């Protein structure tokens, strides 16, 4: 039988899904053990147990220097930057996306600009961002916003342009003004795509957040990772990476659940 | 309720003629069924009646006045698909025109006015048999139910003319018969002028008081390059004719050679 | 597993086998094993006191000295300083140029026994605390200070604060990448920075910048050295001899005020992105040990013990002296003459003047 027609059973699917994770864990555990036998103080590949201990320490004990429990301070700082950045980016992308997708004159004016902006690598213009936005929270949020807004805008504009012309014509025959159509026809049909777009932007947003925190910060998950990298504390870095992965996965899940509840009429709301 | 005058309109796109020499005078309350081969420009003609497409030359008048250059509430439309708003419930779709008319900056009615609009919508839904489905989304309805809703929505603005673009083309034959009944009933009740594009000849003769056939012809026998389509048959039916021809219509039109159309 | 399809079974078995093989392979990049070998790799990064390494590689001095001992030494420049230390600590390189403080916190704290083979210089003004629109060190109280956290800048700041009776809690440290320090200084948010040359000179050129403290106030505390793996050195003394021989020949050339000396310094200046005058200015704030005898004396003296005591306490206070280090004594530091700071059973950083002494005696 052709391979595309062979379907694993439920149990096989579970096992096959777990195999790569288990293999990575085994590779890590072995390599770590070999290194630790040669040098018990090795920092490159700490044992799972010492990573766990470090994580528990970071999550429960106040830091010797600042007195804060660093995991929670860092998480709170990073999540608030991320949330603010995603929120602002979503608002800008929604307004611009609808303008570009719905109003031909705005499209002619703005589409080339947004297209060009989306091609600029934001990390390459960091010094300009510093001078414009300073080094505080603002510049970190700005980096996220600048990093993800153009792509989200283009995505939303194309979704708006994809709304069947029949609906727009129909709305006009029902007496709608441009503003009323924007509010009652275009906006609600764009919102599920906005959520989907946000889910796709989560990855880049984390990337820009961590880059921003690496440059100048006093707290944050990215700050901690780059700080302890100075003394190769992989026992801090690896659990932090796992923690970030978990947070990213949870935020994706939350957005998906939100879309399924908020837009029951939309296929793309619940799917993916 | 309204007369429609189409004065020698033509349309060409990128130098290719689509429609030409289309002249038509429709009196108030007529039900014009438009038929023709696919690609003959019948849907394009409907789009021009709606101002979704502007003619290259000629004019369209409703009650003696040139139509607005964009779609307006004096012309209602039902498309084959995408005719209702997927993000609104069935009732929400029918309240929407009232929301638009409210003039509120949020394009939405509130309070007592909203309750009144909803009550009117519910009455309409009961009439078209969608009462139990008021809080469903269109995607949860059958194709026939969606088109009932689309027609009810278009009529809610009490347009001068109603335009239908193959409204039942995607429906099963049984459902289609039900829809014919609904549409005839509504037309008799409102007596509005109707234009319906269809590719179903039987449907055209069953519902129409007048059948317009679009086709491409050339007075000179097609020697001078590509031709645009025009109205080649304009059949005004009385009641008996309609009944008889509903049965024989398909055969009649199919057998009629296009070349003799000039004589008609 | 009998009920599983053959595909699933093969996947599980295959993955297990591959994981074992890969695990062993990944664990295999260990710090250079303690056995004699002939091919060595050392790394360095851009800093005034380490520029000679680039010159040694390019001018053929390294090849000349390695040939003499029948070995090869590959000198690799790494753009990111911390990364170069991490690579050394992970075992990719046999030696790496770094400061005394980073040698203690990264390789030594990470259990990699490390020897300061060549103590090349100490910072004598190259690291500085700079205030914007303020002129006295005491004005730093209450300000945000931008610096590379946990670096020698941080250490310098701690010593500076000490000198005016302030503590780290009186200020806010903002971790700022050295690559962005100059851009950071030009924003209005930043009013105080601690950094090193050539960044110090660039920042001091900007309006309102005043140097309020620099490393010349704590001479001999920020030491730049070629650190090598102790076990590798013990098994391959020729490796140490070749490096020391090449280094001190380069010192002789560059310290001379003649055509060859200027040419050597110009080459180093170009490689570090400045000109001869700029490079000479940086050298002026660096105490170079051109003469190996001076370095031997410095390493054998009392001051270096005191400096390392400051450094290890700083590292311990900031929680970076090894996982779960119970006190500053956790990692032992050995000096010439059996002097040991901290745990004698866990000596991981050694100041060993033997190879510099050979260079001084001309027996290489």
């Amino acid at each position: 039988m052709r391979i595309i027609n062979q379907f694993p059973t439920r149990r096989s699917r579970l096992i096959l899904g777990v195999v790569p994770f288990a293999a990575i864990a085994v590779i890590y555990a072995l390599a770590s053990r070999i290194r630790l036998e040669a040098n018990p103080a090795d920092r490159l590949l700490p044992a799972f147990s010492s990573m766990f201990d470090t994580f528990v320490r970071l999550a429960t004990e106040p830091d010797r220097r600042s007195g804060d429990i660093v995991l929670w301070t860092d998480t709170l700082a990073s999540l608030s930057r991320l949330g603010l950045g995603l929120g602002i980016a979503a608002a800008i992308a929604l307004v611009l996306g609808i303008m570009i997708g719905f109003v031909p004159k705005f499209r002619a004016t703005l589409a080339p600009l947004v297209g060009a902006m989306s091609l600029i690598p934001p990390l390459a213009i960091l010094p300009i961002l510093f001078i414009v936005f300073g080094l505080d929270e603002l510049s970190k949020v700005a980096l996220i916003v600048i990093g993800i807004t153009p792509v989200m805008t283009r995505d939303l504009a194309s979704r708006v342009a994809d709304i069947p012309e029949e609906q727009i014509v129909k709305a006009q025959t029902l007496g709608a003004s441009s503003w009323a159509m924007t509010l009652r026809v275009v906006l609600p049909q764009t919102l599920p795509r906005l959520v989907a777009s946000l889910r796709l932007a989560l990855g880049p947003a984390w990337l820009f957040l961590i880059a921003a925190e690496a440059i100048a910060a006093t707290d944050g998950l990215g700050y901690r990772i780059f700080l302890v990298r100075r003394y190769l504390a992989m026992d801090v870095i690896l659990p932090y990476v796992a923690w970030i992965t978990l947070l990213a996965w949870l935020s994706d899940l939350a957005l998906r659940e939100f879309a399924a509840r908020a837009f029951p009429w939309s296929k793309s709301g619940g799917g993916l | 309720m309204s007369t429609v005058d189409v004065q020698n309109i033509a349309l060409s796109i990128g130098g290719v003629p689509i429609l030409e020499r289309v002249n038509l005078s429709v009196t108030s309350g007529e039900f014009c069924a438009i038929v023709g081969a696919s690609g003959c420009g019948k849907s394009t003609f409907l789009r021009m009646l709606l101002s979704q497409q502007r003619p290259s030359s000629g004019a369209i008048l409703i009650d003696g006045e040139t139509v607005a250059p964009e779609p307006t509430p004096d012309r209602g439309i039902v498309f084959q698909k995408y005719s209702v708003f997927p993000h609104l419930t069935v009732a929400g779709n029918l309240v929407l025109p009232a929301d638009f008319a409210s003039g509120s900056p949020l394009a939405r009615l509130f309070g007592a006015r909203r309750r009144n609009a909803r009550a009117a919508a519910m009455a309409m839904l009961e009439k078209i048999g969608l009462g139990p489905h008021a809080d469903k989304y269109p995607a949860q309805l059958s194709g026939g139910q969606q088109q009932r809703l689309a027609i009810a929505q278009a009529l809610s603005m009490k347009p001068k003319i109603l335009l239908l673009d193959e409204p039942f083309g995607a429906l099963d034959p049984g459902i289609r018969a039900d829809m014919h009944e609904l549409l005839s009933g509504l037309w008799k009740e409102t007596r509005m002028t109707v234009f319906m594009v269809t590719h179903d000849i039987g449907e055209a003769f069953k519902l129409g008081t007048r059948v317009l056939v679009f086709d491409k012809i050339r007075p000179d026998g097609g020697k001078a390059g590509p031709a645009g389509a025009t109205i080649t048959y304009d059949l005004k039916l009385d009641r008996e004719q309609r009944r008889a021809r509903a049965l024989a219509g398909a055969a009649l039109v199919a057998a009629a050679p296009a070349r003799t159309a000039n004589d008609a | 597993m009998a009920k599983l399809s053959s595909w699933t079974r093969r996947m599980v078995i295959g993955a297990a086998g591959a994981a074992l093989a890969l695990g062993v392979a990944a664990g295999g990049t260990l710090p250079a094993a303690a056995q004699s070998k002939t091919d060595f790799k050392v790394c360095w990064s851009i800093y005034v006191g380490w520029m000679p390494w680039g010159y040694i590689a390019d001018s053929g001095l390294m090849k000349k000295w390695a040939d003499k001992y029948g070995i090869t030494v590959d000198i690799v420049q790494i753009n990111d300083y911390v990364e170069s230390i991490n690579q050394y600590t992970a075992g990719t390189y046999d030696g790496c140029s770094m400061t005394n403080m980073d040698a203690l916190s990264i390789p030594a704290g990470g259990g990699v026994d490390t020897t300061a083979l060549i103590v090349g210089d100490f910072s004598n003004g190259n690291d500085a605390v700079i205030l914007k629109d303020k002129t006295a060190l005491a004005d730093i109280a209450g300000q945000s200070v931008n610096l590379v956290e946990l670096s020698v800048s941080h250490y310098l700041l701690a010593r500076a604060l000490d000198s005016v009776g302030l503590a780290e809690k009186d200020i806010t440290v903002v971790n700022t990448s050295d690559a962005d320090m100059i851009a950071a200084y030009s924003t209005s948010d930043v009013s105080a920075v601690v950094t090193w040359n050539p960044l110090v000179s660039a920042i001091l050129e900007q309006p309102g910048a005043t140097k309020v403290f620099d490393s010349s106030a704590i001479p001999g505390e920020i030491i730049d050295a070629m650190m090598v793996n102790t076990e590798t050195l013990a098994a391959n003394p020729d490796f140490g001899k070749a490096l020391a021989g090449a280094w001190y020949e380069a010192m002789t050339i560059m310290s001379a005020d003649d055509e060859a000396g200027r040419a050597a310094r110009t080459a180093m200046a170009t490689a570090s992105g400045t000109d001869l005058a700029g490079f000479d200015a940086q050298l002026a704030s660096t105490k170079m040990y051109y003469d190996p005898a001076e370095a031997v004396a410095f390493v054998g003296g009392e001051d270096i013990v005191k400096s390392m005591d400051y450094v290890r306490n700083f590292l311990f206070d900031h929680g970076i002296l090894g996982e779960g280090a119970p006190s500053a004594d956790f990692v032992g530091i050995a000096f010439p003459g059996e002097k040991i700071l901290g745990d004698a059973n866990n000596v991981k950083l050694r100041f060993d003047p033997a190879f510099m002494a050979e260079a001084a005696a001309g027996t290489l």
Side-chain angles (χ1 to χ4, degrees):
Chain A
M1 205 180 353
R2 292 178 186 86
I3 191 162
I4 57 159
N5 292 324
Q6 299 170 16
F7 294 97
T9 63
R10 205 182 148 77
R11 192 157 66 112
S12 289
R13 211 158 50 227
L14 200 70
I15 293 173
L16 288 172
V18 169
V19 160
F21 289 100
I24 290 169
V26 168
I27 291 170
Y28 182 87
L30 268 176
S32 161
R33 200 189 165 103
I34 291 171
R35 287 189 72 95
L36 286 170
E37 265 169 18
N39 170 13
D42 179 62
R43 284 173 172 179
L44 192 66
L45 302 177
F48 286 118
S49 59
S50 69
M51 286 194 281
F52 182 76
D53 292 343
T54 306
F55 190 73
V56 168
R57 181 166 54 78
L58 292 171
T60 56
E61 291 173 24
D63 182 48
R64 186 161 16 185
R65 197 147 54 97
S66 59
D68 296 329
I69 299 181
V70 291
L71 179 71
W72 306 116
T73 334
D74 289 344
T75 305
L76 190 67
S78 286
L79 286 185
S80 52
R81 287 169 192 145
L82 191 74
L84 205 56
L86 286 170
I88 294 172
I92 297 175
L94 189 62
V95 171
L96 283 182
I98 288 177
M99 285 169 80
I100 291 172
F102 196 44
V103 186
K105 279 186 177 167
F106 289 145
R107 173 158 54 236
T109 315
L110 292 173
L113 177 70
V114 171
M117 293 273 283
S118 70
L119 297 175
I120 297 174
L123 292 175
I125 53 164
L126 273 178
I128 299 175
L129 297 187
F130 290 156
I131 288 161
V132 177
F133 297 107
L135 269 182
D136 284 349
E137 293 301 293
L138 184 60
S139 68
K140 298 176 188 66
V141 173
L143 183 64
I144 298 175
V145 171
I146 291 171
I148 63 176
T149 304
V151 177
M152 285 179 69
T153 303
R154 290 176 76 172
D155 188 36
L156 291 182
S158 79
R159 174 64 190 93
V160 170
D162 283 348
I163 292 176
E165 196 197 349
E166 285 90 336
Q167 286 187 28
I168 305 301
V169 170
K170 176 88 176 220
Q172 293 178 66
T173 65
L174 299 180
S177 64
S178 296
W179 173 244
M181 275 186 282
T182 303
L183 221 51
R184 298 299 313 278
V185 179
V186 176
L187 178 67
Q189 296 199 54
T190 312
L191 287 177
R193 186 64 222 177
L194 178 68
V195 175
S197 196
L198 269 177
R199 289 177 59 196
L200 289 174
L202 273 178
W206 274 101
L207 179 80
F208 290 118
L209 171 72
I210 292 191
E213 289 180 341
I215 287 154
T218 54
D219 52 14
L221 297 165
Y223 158 81
R224 191 72 51 196
I225 286 176
F226 277 86
L227 182 66
V228 303
R229 174 175 164 269
R230 266 203 84 80
Y231 54 103
L232 203 61
M234 297 306 289
D235 60 329
V236 175
I237 294 177
L238 292 177
Y240 259 61
V241 170
W243 177 242
I244 288 173
T245 311
L246 179 70
L247 290 175
W249 183 74
L250 285 177
S251 24
D252 184 64
L253 193 71
L255 282 174
R256 195 174 65 187
E257 281 301 307
F258 168 75
R261 274 158 217 273
F263 317 115
W265 52 269
S266 165
K267 272 180 213 142
S268 71
L272 275 182
Chain B
M1 263 205 288
S2 298
T3 62
V4 175
D5 280 299
V6 176
Q7 295 174 349
N8 200 30
I9 61 171
L11 174 74
S12 58
I13 295 171
V16 179
I18 308 293
L19 287 173
E20 58 190 30
R21 294 176 291 109
V22 178
N23 287 287
L24 184 66
S25 184
V26 175
T27 56
S28 183
E30 277 194 282
F31 191 129
C32 301
I34 303 171
V35 296
S38 52
C40 69
K42 56 188 192 293
S43 284
T44 307
F45 177 65
L46 203 73
R47 286 161 62 88
M48 289 199 290
L49 289 177
L50 190 56
S51 301
Q52 201 182 344
Q53 176 90 54
R54 309 267 292 274
S56 308
S57 63
I60 298 173
L61 288 77
I62 295 180
D63 289 339
E65 284 179 38
T66 308
V67 291
E70 60 181 356
T72 43
D74 56 354
R75 291 154 290 167
I77 176 74
V78 174
F79 293 106
Q80 183 175 351
K81 47 184 185 169
Y82 305 126
S83 229
V84 291
F85 298 100
H87 61 287
L88 295 173
T89 60
V90 169
N93 262 284
L94 283 192
V95 174
L96 188 65
D99 281 335
F100 286 152
S102 70
S104 136
L106 292 176
R108 181 184 280 278
L109 289 169
F110 294 98
R113 292 175 67 200
R114 177 154 208 90
R115 284 193 294 278
N116 291 342
R118 166 123 185 148
M122 288 308 293
M124 182 56 153
L125 288 175
E126 289 302 334
K127 191 166 147 189
I128 60 170
L130 289 179
H133 305 296
D135 292 317
K136 286 186 180 170
Y137 287 99
Q140 297 166 292
L141 301 180
S142 70
Q145 288 168 330
Q146 287 187 33
Q147 289 307 75
R148 277 169 192 266
L149 177 61
I151 292 167
Q153 193 182 39
L155 292 179
S156 68
M157 294 306 289
K158 301 196 168 38
K160 291 178 179 171
I161 60 174
L162 178 63
L163 306 168
L164 304 154
D165 192 357
E166 304 206 20
F168 314 130
L171 304 181
D172 294 336
I175 309 285
R176 211 181 286 191
D178 291 346
M179 299 300 294
H180 292 163
E181 217 164 284
L182 173 80
L183 184 58
S184 309
L186 289 169
W187 173 63
K188 278 175 194 145
E189 189 180 310
T190 59
R191 278 321 210 179
M192 71 177 72
T193 313
V194 176
F195 289 84
M196 179 177 77
V197 167
T198 177
H199 57 247
D200 180 341
I201 305 286
E203 185 173 88
F205 279 91
K206 180 176 166 190
L207 295 175
T209 57
R210 193 167 169 185
V211 174
L212 305 170
V213 181
F214 275 70
D215 203 354
K216 287 178 187 173
I217 55 137
R218 271 235 72 115
D220 58 11
K223 282 173 191 141
T230 189
I231 298 171
T232 53
Y233 268 108
D234 183 351
L235 307 171
K236 292 180 182 156
L237 311 174
D238 61 30
R239 203 170 285 266
E240 291 78 50
Q241 278 176 310
R242 274 168 56 210
R243 202 173 300 129
R245 292 193 190 184
L247 303 170
L252 179 123
V253 173
R259 207 162 287 146
T260 62
N262 281 341
D263 312 331
Chain C
M1 226 182 245
K3 279 180 195 155
L4 295 174
S5 75
S6 65
W7 165 258
T8 309
R9 207 159 47 229
R10 261 181 281 154
M11 276 304 290
V12 172
I13 295 167
L20 285 171
L22 275 171
V24 172
T29 38
L30 283 169
Q35 55 198 3
S36 64
K37 56 178 191 173
T38 57
D39 299 316
F40 301 88
K41 281 184 358 183
V42 299
C43 57
W44 67 285
S45 49
I46 300 261
Y47 172 70
V48 54
W50 297 324
M51 294 315 295
W53 287 115
Y55 174 75
I56 288 167
D58 296 341
S59 64
L61 279 177
M62 192 67 248
K63 183 166 166 32
K64 174 184 156 191
W65 282 87
D67 286 350
K68 178 173 177 181
Y69 290 99
I71 59 172
T72 68
V73 180
D74 200 5
I75 299 180
V76 180
Q77 185 198 328
I78 292 182
N79 277 326
D80 184 317
Y81 170 61
V82 171
E83 190 54 32
S84 72
I85 305 176
N86 286 346
Q87 290 284 324
Y88 161 76
T89 307
T92 316
Y93 292 95
D94 302 298
C96 181
S97 58
M98 68 187 88
T99 66
N100 54 334
M101 179 177 132
D102 293 318
L104 182 58
S105 67
I106 307 176
V112 176
D113 197 330
T114 294
T115 296
L117 178 78
I118 300 165
V119 173
D121 70 275
F122 64 76
S123 169
N124 197 21
N126 260 336
D127 297 80
V129 181
I130 300 169
L131 297 187
K132 191 189 274 177
D133 303 330
K134 296 268 168 54
T135 51
L137 177 56
D139 295 338
I140 204 170
Q143 298 207 33
S144 283
V145 183
N146 292 72
L147 51 79
V148 180
E149 220 173 318
L150 307 182
S151 71
V152 291
S153 298
H154 202 167
Y155 173 77
L156 180 78
L157 176 68
R159 298 285 284 128
L161 291 171
D162 235 9
S163 73
V164 289
L166 293 170
E168 215 178 304
K169 63 174 164 39
D170 299 320
I171 50 134
T172 308
V173 167
V174 181
N175 186 38
T176 306
S177 154
D178 52 327
D180 298 301
M181 198 62 79
I182 297 176
Y185 183 83
S186 57
T187 69
S188 56
D189 301 332
V190 174
S191 57
V193 300
V194 186
T195 188
W196 53 81
N197 257 327
L199 306 176
V200 169
S201 338
I203 291 173
L204 285 175
E205 284 166 13
Q206 301 198 28
T210 310
K211 182 161 76 176
V212 294
F213 190 86
D214 70 28
S215 52
S216 63
I218 53 164
E221 290 189 29
I222 298 173
I223 303 165
D224 304 306
M226 170 51 73
M227 300 286 177
V228 299
N229 186 292
T230 304
E231 290 175 24
T232 306
L233 184 64
N236 305 280
D238 285 350
F239 168 52
K241 289 179 182 178
L243 284 178
W247 176 265
Y248 286 107
E249 186 174 347
M251 289 299 105
T252 309
I253 296 171
M254 75 179 280
S255 60
D257 189 24
D258 58 12
E259 192 72 18
R262 273 191 294 276
R265 294 204 304 281
T266 305
M268 294 178 207
T270 310
S272 58
T274 177
D275 55 10
L276 183 58
F279 190 67
D280 281 345
Q282 291 180 32
L283 279 176
S285 52
T286 309
K287 168 58 188 156
M288 291 296 294
Y289 285 118
Y290 294 119
D291 177 357
E294 276 186 50
V296 172
F298 173 64
V299 169
E302 275 304 315
D303 287 350
I304 195 170
V305 182
K306 216 187 294 169
S307 298
M308 289 313 294
D309 196 32
Y310 279 130
V311 168
R312 66 182 191 141
N313 279 304
F314 170 82
L315 292 178
F316 177 73
D317 288 343
H318 289 82
I320 53 178
L321 198 61
E323 170 59 31
S327 77
D329 283 333
F330 180 64
V331 178
I333 308 167
F335 301 92
E338 308 290 309
K339 271 179 290 181
I340 289 176
L341 214 49
D343 188 350
N345 295 317
N346 189 33
V347 173
K348 293 294 179 194
L349 182 61
R350 298 161 200 274
F351 287 90
D352 178 3
F355 293 86
M356 296 185 290
E358 280 202 60
T363 54
L364 285 174

